[in-house]
Amino acid sequence: MRWIATISVLALAAAMPAEARETQALADGWSFDFGIADESPVQPGFDDKGWAKVAVPHTWNRLGNPGMARDATIDADRGMGWYRRPLCAPAAGKRSFLEFDAASIVADVWLNGVKLGRHEGAFSRFRLDATAAMRPGCDNVLAVRTDNSKPDPGSATWHVVPLSGDFMMFGGLYRPVTQIAVDPVHIDLMDHGGPGVYGHVAALDAAGAEVVVRTRLANDGAKAAEARLRVTILDADGKAVARSDRKMPLAADTVASDETRLRVADPHRWDGLADPYLYRILAEVRDAKGRLIDRVEQPLGIRTIAIDAEKGFFLNGKPLKLHGVSRHQDRYAKGWALDQADHEEDMKLIRDLGANTVRLSHYNQATPFYDLADSTGMILWAELGLVNQTAPKGVKDTPPEMLANAQMQLTELIRQNYNHPSVAMWSIGNEVTNWSWKGLTPSNPRPLMEALNALAKREDPTRPTTMATCCEPLPGEDDDRPILTGIADTVGFNRYIGWYGKGYVDEVEDLAAHLTELHRKFPGLPVSLGEYGGGGALSQHTDNVHGGKVMNVSRPQPEEIESYIHERSWAQIKGLEWLYGAWVWQMFDAASEVREEGDTTDVNTKGLVSFDRKVKKDAYYFYQAAWRTDVPVLHLTGKRYTDRAYRSIDVRAYSNQPRARLSVNGRDIGWTNCIDAVCVWKSVRLDAGANNLVAEAGSVRDSAEWRYDGGANDVHIRSGTLTGTVVGGVRYGSDNYFEGGKGAPLNRFRREIYAAPGSEKQDPVLQVTGTDAPALYENYRSGIAAYRVPVANGSYRVTLHLFEPAEDTAGKRVFDVAVSGGATRRGVDPFALGKGKLKAATIVLPASVSDGMLTIDFAKRVGEPIVSAVDIVAD
């Protein structure tokens, strides 16, 4: 099966001359108040002097902060937020439209106490005709009620998609508001927020492109009129390369559609990042006297796309592997109320990363970002905000109101963004069976998804549809969960192998095989990896990513885990030719009410860049090294892990160069090969105190500053965990130098991130007694075979910290321990030693080392050997 489309694309309306369309940004002069339940603020004489003075874009919500609890700045209240401001009438004879680029979630609008209308949906532009309610002069009063209440039964949002999601639904007028004044005859402003001018390429070859432009003209006047419509295609230098000119009779109070075909000779193609060339389409409307009364300008990109189930994605007939990121639109302290500079910074970071595609998750995003994608050549996955469920909780079939709302929002998504060359596909939803898969609600999703796919194909047959799935039966599974894969033209599988699963990063090695099985399961269907990745906290670090269990919805989440998952994921998927694209989840940390993980609160930590855009995580530099070939890249990892627990460590760097060289305090460590963008120097010994590491690769260099303040030959290991800690003034590293076994926490955190508040499941909190250092007994490694610890030759005292986590009697877990130099302890029984379950115990063994490696061997008798901490101290 091969999906192919020929397409052109157009975008944002430009500012119009005074005699045609006039626009006024309504940014300042707003008053705001939260929580008023009645409609008293709609009255022109309402006293709002005590309200806060705000500028739009605005949201009252603030969510997501560093730290283990919400700070004093957080405002997660959801409900009704009111906005009021004065408004001047346009010139006599002009009609007035109010344009809201977005308002969350439901917006009701009044002018001078007259209700203009309601819009249901948080992410799309809508316009309202204010002409009839407008009075001459500047004493008009505009009142807007926004409502971001949770979709409980009886709320205004109960049927408005999305009903849930792993992201905060910020409230307010969070995108710009504009007053538009036009002649009664104008390019249609009431077409689902669209530009009224739509173009696509019907045929394309090297000699020419046939461009079809459809223009909607409205006559809101009481009399019939005759208009002249001129449609011109301009090249990037402003030169006209094609034109049509025709008369259009317009009956009173009607909308008419005109379709014209134009030929562009020797077309210069929009070619993604390589050459994002843009033409422009200019639609001009003149009255019977030749006076210009309206005009809309749109960019035009001429290009072809194709997606093949076996060969992948093609742009203009050339294969292009899509590799990129997903983007939420929020940021720290600003929520959704972004400005142009915010969008530009995000795009710059994404381009600097080396991505060539962005998934706009999980909703219609702001026009400036689409425009930036057009002008830079970034390919977009545009998505409807339908997430997790296709009906209210407890309801199986989609209610008619929810179906209508989803269809309206999809229509808005497509018409408002139809003309962007950057948009390659329309997504009809994300993980829509998530809640039913988890047993939270019944579900019958297929009718809704089939209806949405059919709608998308009617609205735009030139682009493929897609959807992201998470929760269908996996290869080898056989159950009655609905299979939606195959409804859309393509599919994106969301797979977090190595992150969500049994809890160990080793699982990530199954990613390619898993995707291959899915590819085989759906032959002929183009397949992508819609999401993959893992979380990373800036202040939490590990010495060995295999040392413990991944706490994927909890704490801690060492930054190195995120990096490793991306290293190994990319190494597997980059060679899958049939995989047409892959999108990292996610570019930036983002706000989510359902998350308490890593070193933040209400933040999904899977971003490659921090929530405030100030810090690029190590994984960001990995992809820069893996994806960029135009500039040399070199980055030493672990720079934020400044106080090192171990003197002998592996040093890692990311580079797109074949080899890299390392020195420590001027001491040459030597060269190493960089394989799949990863360079590793094994068993590098740090100096006591400060260590300056310098890496070089080709013409680039990077440095890091670390400290080692432990004993010259001492090693302290916190077994079974991914993070170290300081106990009694001694710094313990995370589990390292081990062979075999599995690390686990004593208290296994269990939490359903989409469950109703208060319903999270948490095991009783366990604590080991009989110790003044409980932090050494919070984790353990079970089934361990040995430790192999590099140390200087000499004599040592080895202390093993033990406890019995599970058995209720002695004799159920018995093992032998032997250390370098021959000392052996036979018949070790943690229950007997501690005199009970969850009781601390220690054993001490002398050791001697003559070959630079201290060994601790565990031999199983009954049950699995276990250890919770190791102290190796030189005599």
Side-chain angles (χ1 to χ4, degrees):
M1 176 179 177
R2 186 175 175 88
W3 195 99
I4 303 177
T6 301
I7 187 169
S8 91
V9 192
L10 327 163
L12 176 73
M16 302 305 168
E19 70 272 15
R21 182 177 297 193
E22 300 173 9
T23 61
Q24 178 190 3
L26 304 180
D28 300 318
W30 294 91
S31 298
F32 170 79
D33 196 49
F34 177 79
I36 298 176
D38 60 40
E39 294 185 358
S40 56
V42 309
Q43 299 304 321
F46 179 84
D47 184 3
D48 61 12
K49 291 186 177 62
W51 287 19
K53 306 305 177 185
V54 302
V56 169
H58 173 266
T59 178
W60 65 84
N61 291 126
R62 177 168 171 167
L63 189 76
N65 59 270
M68 304 303 180
R70 288 183 174 177
D71 64 30
T73 67
I74 298 305
D75 183 352
D77 290 341
R78 295 177 64 171
M80 297 182 186
W82 283 90
Y83 296 84
R84 285 169 51 91
R85 63 155 287 158
L87 190 65
C88 293
K94 293 282 189 177
R95 298 192 67 84
S96 174
F97 290 83
L98 295 176
E99 178 178 88
F100 297 82
D101 280 3
S104 180
I105 297 173
V106 172
D108 295 280
V109 183
W110 292 263
L111 184 66
N112 299 325
V114 178
K115 189 166 186 178
L116 303 183
R118 163 178 280 206
H119 183 263
E120 298 177 338
F123 306 109
S124 294
R125 181 185 306 110
F126 64 96
R127 303 185 184 108
L128 299 170
D129 189 342
T131 307
M134 187 74 70
R135 302 169 184 167
C138 292
D139 292 331
N140 296 280
V141 179
L142 175 62
V144 184
R145 179 180 63 196
T146 61
D147 188 347
N148 73 332
S149 299
K150 293 184 178 180
D152 299 322
S155 73
T157 64
W158 74 271
H159 63 290
V160 181
V161 302
L163 300 185
S164 68
D166 188 6
F167 50 92
M168 172 66 178
M169 294 291 291
F170 291 86
L173 297 177
Y174 72 90
R175 289 184 191 158
V177 180
T178 305
Q179 182 178 204
I180 303 173
V182 292
D183 190 89
V185 175
H186 55 270
I187 294 171
D188 188 18
L189 285 160
M190 300 299 287
D191 187 26
H192 297 274
V197 178
Y198 307 92
H200 71 273
V201 172
L204 175 63
D205 57 30
E210 184 181 354
V211 180
V212 177
V213 180
R214 180 169 57 89
T215 306
R216 290 170 56 95
L217 292 185
N219 179 9
D220 291 336
K223 297 180 180 180
E226 183 176 277
R228 179 175 293 276
L229 174 64
R230 171 177 287 182
V231 178
T232 306
I233 297 179
L234 307 172
D235 67 14
D237 296 323
K239 177 184 176 182
V241 296
R243 175 172 288 159
S244 77
D245 204 335
R246 67 183 68 191
K247 293 180 180 180
M248 288 189 65
L250 297 170
D253 195 25
T254 59
V255 176
S257 183
D258 171 79
E259 184 171 288
T260 185
R261 291 176 175 261
L262 301 169
R263 179 171 176 79
V264 177
D266 301 319
H268 190 152
R269 300 196 187 201
W270 188 91
D271 201 28
L273 296 178
D275 186 8
Y277 187 89
L278 291 172
Y279 292 88
R280 291 176 291 158
I281 290 184
L282 175 62
E284 298 174 296
V285 183
R286 297 179 183 272
D287 63 14
K289 297 180 180 180
R291 182 175 61 97
L292 180 67
I293 55 177
D294 200 11
R295 69 195 296 272
V296 167
E297 187 174 325
Q298 301 270 296
L300 163 66
I302 298 175
R303 55 128 168 106
T304 64
I305 59 170
I307 308 178
D308 186 89
E310 296 299 330
K311 297 179 181 179
F313 186 90
F314 290 79
L315 177 63
N316 294 320
K318 297 175 292 185
L320 178 65
K321 184 82 168 183
L322 296 181
H323 55 263
V325 295
S326 300
R327 184 224 190 202
H328 269 302
Q329 67 181 1
D330 62 332
R331 64 169 58 200
Y332 179 66
K334 300 187 74 169
W336 286 351
L338 306 184
D339 57 27
Q340 180 69 28
D342 295 324
H343 295 297
E344 290 176 358
E345 181 181 27
D346 281 7
M347 182 59 79
K348 184 178 187 304
L349 286 165
I350 292 169
R351 290 202 65 196
D352 287 348
L353 178 70
N356 62 15
T357 181
V358 179
R359 180 182 175 196
L360 300 180
S361 49
H362 294 297
Y363 38 75
N364 189 12
Q365 298 194 13
T367 296
F369 198 80
Y370 288 92
D371 294 337
L372 288 166
D374 291 344
S375 62
T376 61
M378 194 68 63
I379 290 178
L380 298 180
W381 161 331
E383 188 155 274
L384 170 67
L386 179 66
V387 185
N388 284 346
Q389 53 190 119
T390 56
K393 188 174 182 180
V395 177
K396 183 176 182 179
D397 296 317
T398 306
E401 297 91 339
M402 185 176 172
L403 169 62
N405 182 259
Q407 290 176 319
M408 181 197 76
Q409 291 197 46
L410 180 58
T411 301
E412 291 173 337
L413 172 73
I414 295 174
R415 294 197 188 179
Q416 291 174 24
N417 302 297
Y418 182 91
N419 295 325
H420 289 287
S422 51
V423 175
M425 63 198 79
W426 305 116
S427 173
I428 59 175
N430 174 73
E431 299 186 0
V432 298
T433 57
N434 197 335
W435 273 34
S436 61
W437 170 53
K438 294 175 179 176
L440 299 174
T441 188
S443 180
N444 180 26
R446 180 167 280 273
L448 173 62
M449 304 314 293
E450 289 177 341
L452 291 175
N453 191 70
L455 173 63
K457 301 306 293 183
R458 290 194 303 271
E459 284 289 320
D460 183 7
T462 70
R463 287 183 177 91
T465 56
T466 193
M467 63 187 302
T469 71
C470 68
C471 313
E472 298 176 355
L474 303 179
E477 297 179 341
D478 185 16
D479 56 43
D480 60 356
R481 279 179 284 167
I483 297 177
L484 304 180
T485 298
I487 291 178
D489 297 323
T490 73
V491 66
F493 292 110
N494 295 353
R495 293 295 184 265
Y496 292 89
I497 297 179
W499 183 253
Y500 297 124
K502 296 179 181 178
Y504 299 96
V505 295
D506 313 68
E507 298 173 61
V508 73
E509 302 301 334
D510 297 331
L511 177 59
H514 178 87
L515 291 172
T516 299
E517 283 301 307
L518 288 169
H519 177 51
R520 291 172 181 165
K521 184 176 180 179
F522 300 101
L525 182 68
V527 168
S528 72
L529 182 57
E531 298 176 17
Y532 69 104
L538 295 176
S539 65
Q540 295 169 348
H541 300 282
T542 188
D543 303 284
N544 190 323
V545 296
H546 305 283
K549 196 167 187 177
V550 173
M551 305 300 284
N552 52 44
V553 293
S554 184
R555 315 182 194 279
Q557 293 180 350
E559 183 180 2
E560 291 78 10
I561 295 291
E562 177 186 38
S563 299
Y564 184 80
I565 286 174
H566 284 295
E567 290 174 22
R568 297 307 307 146
S569 295
W570 181 249
Q572 294 176 75
I573 65 178
K574 68 175 185 177
L576 302 178
E577 291 187 6
W578 48 265
L579 191 74
Y580 77 81
W583 286 265
V584 170
W585 187 267
Q586 53 192 348
M587 182 63 190
F588 308 105
D589 287 350
S592 173
E593 292 177 283
V594 300
R595 292 187 179 267
E596 296 176 358
E597 52 190 55
D599 55 1
T600 60
T601 298
D602 300 311
V603 174
N604 188 322
T605 63
K606 297 185 186 71
L608 302 179
V609 178
S610 62
F611 195 12
D612 60 5
R613 278 55 169 179
K614 302 297 184 186
V615 180
K616 299 173 182 175
K617 301 181 188 180
D618 283 343
Y620 177 97
Y621 293 99
F622 166 71
Y623 281 112
Q624 200 172 58
W627 291 348
R628 294 199 66 169
T629 58
D630 57 328
V631 294
V633 175
L634 175 65
H635 173 77
L636 279 168
T637 70
K639 292 178 183 177
R640 282 173 284 279
Y641 185 10
T642 54
D643 293 312
R644 292 286 171 156
Y646 298 127
R647 194 162 188 180
S648 178
I649 62 172
D650 293 347
V651 176
R652 302 172 73 81
Y654 298 138
S655 183
N656 56 8
Q657 304 299 295
R659 296 198 308 157
R661 189 174 190 175
L662 178 71
S663 65
V664 177
N665 289 337
R667 185 175 73 255
D668 184 30
I669 304 301
W671 292 91
T672 192
N673 293 328
C674 301
I675 301 172
D676 291 331
V678 181
C679 328
V680 182
W681 294 267
K682 305 287 289 186
S683 301
V684 175
R685 186 170 176 82
L686 300 180
D687 295 334
N691 288 265
N692 174 244
L693 287 80
V694 177
E696 300 178 9
S699 61
V700 288
R701 55 187 284 145
D702 194 26
S703 63
E705 298 288 338
W706 297 340
R707 290 193 63 83
Y708 176 73
D709 291 326
N713 294 301
D714 296 350
V715 180
H716 303 278
I717 303 170
R718 194 172 178 230
S719 302
T721 181
L722 290 171
T723 54
T725 190
V726 176
V727 179
V730 176
R731 182 173 297 279
Y732 283 77
S734 65
D735 208 353
N736 202 10
Y737 310 121
F738 53 83
E739 294 180 0
K742 292 286 188 182
L746 174 61
N747 291 292
R748 294 167 173 80
F749 189 87
R750 291 190 176 95
R751 183 168 183 246
E752 170 51 66
I753 64 173
Y754 289 120
S759 66
E760 297 90 350
K761 297 178 181 179
Q762 175 70 59
D763 291 345
V765 177
L766 305 177
Q767 185 171 356
V768 175
T769 60
T771 176
D772 58 359
L776 299 183
Y777 299 88
E778 293 174 347
N779 302 269
Y780 57 89
R781 177 163 291 276
S782 177
I784 184 169
Y787 277 102
R788 303 278 186 260
V789 186
V791 294
N793 293 339
S795 299
Y796 293 86
R797 183 174 69 257
V798 177
T799 301
L800 302 181
H801 298 262
L802 312 168
F803 71 94
E804 176 52 58
E807 305 298 344
D808 293 315
T809 61
K812 296 291 186 69
R813 186 190 308 274
V814 182
F815 54 91
D816 301 334
V817 180
V819 300
S820 295
T824 302
R825 180 73 175 265
R826 302 186 185 280
V828 175
D829 183 334
F831 187 97
L833 285 172
K835 298 183 174 58
K837 180 180 176 181
L838 299 177
K839 303 290 185 181
T842 59
I843 61 174
V844 181
L845 295 170
S848 60
V849 176
S850 58
D851 60 357
M853 189 69 67
L854 190 150
T855 62
I856 308 171
D857 290 303
F858 297 81
K860 172 182 176 179
R861 290 192 178 188
V862 179
E864 296 291 343
I866 195 170
V867 61
S868 64
V870 179
D871 293 306
I872 300 172
V873 179
D875 282 340

